[in-house]
Amino acid sequence: MSRLHRLLLRLYPREFRERLGSAMVETLDEEQAAARRRGTGAALVLLLRTLVRTPFLALGEHLRSRTGGSGRGAWATDFRHALRGLARAPGFAMVTALTVGLGVGATVALYSVVDAMLLRPLPVLQPDRLYRVQEDRNRHLSVGMEGPRVQLERYEGLRDALTGPVFSGLAGQNNRTLPMRGEGPAFPATAILSTGNYFQVLGLRPAAGRFFTTDDEPAVVLGFRLWQSRFGGSTDAIGRTVHLGGQPFTVVGVAPREFSSTIGFLYADLWVPIGAHEGAAWAGARVSMFGRLAEGIEASVAAERMGAVARGLPDDDDPQAEILGARLDPLTPAPPSIAGPLSAFLAMLFATAVLVLMIAGANVAGMLVARATRRSREFAVRLALGIGRARLIRQSLIETVGLFALGGVTGIGIAFVATGALARLRLPTAEPLAIEATPGPGALALGLGVAVLAGLLFGWMPALHVSRSELDLALREGGRGSSRGGSRARNVFVTVQLALSAVLLVAATLFVRTAHRGMTADPGFTADGVIVAKTDLSPHGYGEEEGRIFYDRLLDRVRAHPGVESAALAELALLTGESSAFGGWRLQPDDPALQAGQNVVDGRYFETLRIEPLAGRAIGEGDVEGAPPVVVVNESFARRVWPNDNALGKTVLRGEVEHEVVGIVADGHYVEFGRETAPFTFLSAAQRYSSRRTLHLRYRPGADPAEVIASVRREVQTLDPDVAVEQAIPLTDAIGSLLFPQRFAATLIGVFGLLGLFLAATGIYGLLANHVVQRTREFGIRIALGAEATGLLGMVLRRGAFLTLIGTAIGLGIAAALTRLLGGLLHGISPFDAVAFLGVPVLLSLVALLASTLPARRVLRLDPVDAIRRE
Amino acid sequence: MSGSITARAEELVPLRPPIFEILLTLGDGALHGYAIIQALRDPEGPGLRIETGPLYRHLKRLLEDGLISQSDEPPPGTPDDDRRKAYYSLTPLGRAVVRTEAARLSALVRQTERLGLLPEALG
């Protein structure tokens, strides 16, 4: 025990140890012995207290100056001194603050995104009492992004049985993109179809007007953004009539600005009662549920009670389903299906931001050590004048922490700019997403906190360096200073920077390569030169007959456009992340079904997308209703169903309908990257009507795609002004959105990596430049004695090369350990990708060489006489 | 000399709470560190729980301010097998400070009494 106490005592300043140390150890021993006599527990408690308290007490002794006392006056003096020191070197202060600021800014911005997407509760009344409610059953017929959905009648049964004792309110909702028309042309609006009690359950207040309260009122509540953008934010909007899917609705109110929706990050344009208008386009829509717990009831109890009710409620929709109970999950902005992968993704980005911060910290620490070395003489003089070493340390720490705090403020500014840019970023997804990630108080506190913490962490090294200033040496050396401790510390910092930069660059390279491979890989069709435009006729009361006529006329019109080479209709655009329908296929009615992805296409689709069948033919114009049903399958499908036989000409069952395999296409990336061996099928659109179609247009080389897009919109409007065109964009852009996470990560980590590389390069440069200056005299003597300047140059370069080698090796080691975690995001690229693991060291070496050459060249220009004379 | 001690003592009061108690424990003569802790803990005395680390922080300040002195000479009558490394005792300045502080405190007590705010048991 005594040994431990002696060890703890070493934390104290030497002067304290010499005067009181042995007595204090003795007393600590005695105190501990007395506690042990009282019992093991008491002894343990005392030991823990001693262990925790002693470092702080020791730190206090360090900070307390021997000469100046510890009064507030001394602190104020030191503070002023630090400020004066920084004011004398404004360039240094600015560079430092900016360096730290970049690191802190990255951290704060990403924290704000995490906060907005995962941590911040919904802006509603008592969000902790709100729960996502679902039945626990062996199968769900419909699952939305926010959870499973049930038929409206079932929701009503559950609501009526549970409101009061279990929930103070239970609401249901669904979401659709509905064409909305006020004065101008129709545009697709993101609509929440909700039960009448939706707003009341959430406990919201309207920003203007009122909310609807019944399920069947033909009323619409506008989202704040839509109100601002389309109605100028004027209260005149209240009472106006708008058309949704061709049916009239009265604007009754506006939702609060901060409320986007309860479904993910969907920023709703409007809310409509789900039962408004008999026979509305969304009649029969299922709903997902959320509820507010009744006073005093726990979520687990509520789930149990609801489970009992649900089991007793026969399901007409799916009589075979087995209802096991009910589940309640807190109603958070991120639905459970998204929260997991999203938090992993954001955690990765957050980790890279922290890496940047650490590189910046190491860089600044290096600069501070260099500065301290240059100021050795100043310190020596002050020591000689009788100022305590502890006081010098304290001043140095105040200066460093002050610098980092300044960096923190800069970083917060940078974070505001970055998150502002992020909010303006239009994610290329089907629905508009809301990422309102303005840094909140938590993020700001985090920014200042990490800045000060980093200051303390990295400030110790320069501070200790100050305290080690050897008085006589520094004075004799004329203030150039050559403390070994200083240059060793800087070596460490430069190595750390290089290692961390290597980690970032490897990760960035992997993402860039994934995104690039996705963009360049042959997906099995030619997306280049194709424009896709989606329309959905179901909200407009079109039956099958009218729908077919509409689409035929639309095709005729767009094909007449001089810029269009060919046009085709399909259910969906391949490889765009659209939830592709899966169909079950079997050879015999009792076989287990093979699930295969599918697209329903017309007779010109293969031609438009330039898909060449390997065998047989494509879906053709002759595959009409009434003709024998046909299917084109990919190789994987053929292999799986007829492993030893030619699939062509065989028949296969879809439900009860026999389909003949008329063609086989190569395996391609039809659904997502890295899933090219999944079975996939193409069915004839003429044999399977759907009101929802994606128009595919191949424009002629030289035609202006923007003009083609405009003409599509024009044609649709001419045919029916109520029909909205969603997302008329080049197919390559739509495919690009599937790689959005990879591209986002590649961009962000790439920027971080380059930032880190730049910082590391300045670190090496600074280190070697300092090194050369310090040894100028020595070099001069060597040259005078006949040494070759090139040999000396080599000496300097070797030093840089050595650090680069060590730093890079460490960095690659860390990267190899970490990249395995990225596997899920890398398609077709190994986590140990040779390009990344060989390219990054080469890049780092080149940059390091460049950074070393500049200072080393000074050796060549050295005039020996001048160098020796220099003092 | 004694005049300057009094003047210096005046400067050092009021004392922060545990300081006065620590000085008081040394009123009867020199004590070693653990004895001070025990004396402070005495329910008949200050009844103050203080641990070694904080105690030595205070001792350091008191030594620097010249209120106590440190010696390896045990007080007379200490058995040879019970010797400690260091003993602390009041310096003349320390005694002066204790007296000054006591005078200040008793003046406060008298004033409290005049105002009728003193608890019955003490009055």
Side-chain angles (χ1 to χ4, degrees), chain A residues 23 27 30-31 34 49 64, chain B residues 34 51-52 56 61 64 84:
Chain A
T27 310
E30 240 174 300
E31 188 186 29
R49 287 174 63 93
R64 201 168 154 270
Chain B
Y34 190 62
E51 280 165 18
T52 307
Y56 275 83
R61 308 276 185 287
E64 279 168 6
R84 298 303 200 291

Side-chain angles (χ1 to χ4, degrees), chain A residues 304-335:
Chain A
E304 226 166 86
R305 303 266 282 275
M306 174 170 161
V309 171
R311 278 192 296 273
L313 209 62
D315 191 349
D316 306 330
D317 199 18
D318 186 8
Q320 269 106 53
E322 203 182 320
I323 298 159
L324 308 164
R327 245 182 72 186
L328 267 65
D329 297 300
L331 187 63
T332 49

Side-chain angles (χ1 to χ4, degrees), chain A residues 289-314:
Chain A
M289 298 176 283
F290 66 89
R292 183 177 290 283
L293 291 183
E295 204 72 41
I297 194 162
E298 291 300 317
S300 56
V301 180
E304 226 166 86
R305 303 266 282 275
M306 174 170 161
V309 171
R311 278 192 296 273
L313 209 62

Side-chain angles (χ1 to χ4, degrees), chain B residues 40-61:
Chain B
L40 284 172
R41 201 170 286 175
D42 184 1
E44 298 289 303
L48 202 67
R49 295 183 63 91
I50 193 165
E51 280 165 18
T52 307
L55 173 71
Y56 275 83
R57 189 177 52 160
H58 294 310
L59 291 180
K60 173 98 187 320
R61 308 276 185 287

Side-chain angles (χ1 to χ4, degrees), chain A residues 333-355:
Chain A
S337 61
I338 293 181
L342 184 68
S343 34
F345 182 65
L346 289 178
M348 176 192 76
L349 293 184
F350 190 70
T352 58
V354 172
L355 281 186

Side-chain angles (χ1 to χ4, degrees), chain A residues 719-766:
Chain A
L719 285 172
D720 185 340
D722 275 326
V723 174
V725 176
E726 300 167 30
Q727 267 210 314
I729 51 173
L731 181 55
T732 44
D733 287 6
I735 291 174
S737 72
L738 194 62
L739 286 166
F740 180 76
Q742 283 80 9
R743 285 164 57 188
F744 189 66
T747 311
L748 203 63
I749 300 178
V751 168
F752 286 172
L754 291 179
L755 198 63
L757 182 66
F758 172 73
L759 292 176
T762 57
I764 297 176
Y765 172 80

Side-chain angles (χ1 to χ4, degrees), chain A residues 78-90:
Chain A
D78 290 348
F79 203 72
R80 272 198 305 276
H81 187 88
L83 281 184
R84 268 207 304 275
L86 291 181
R88 270 202 301 270

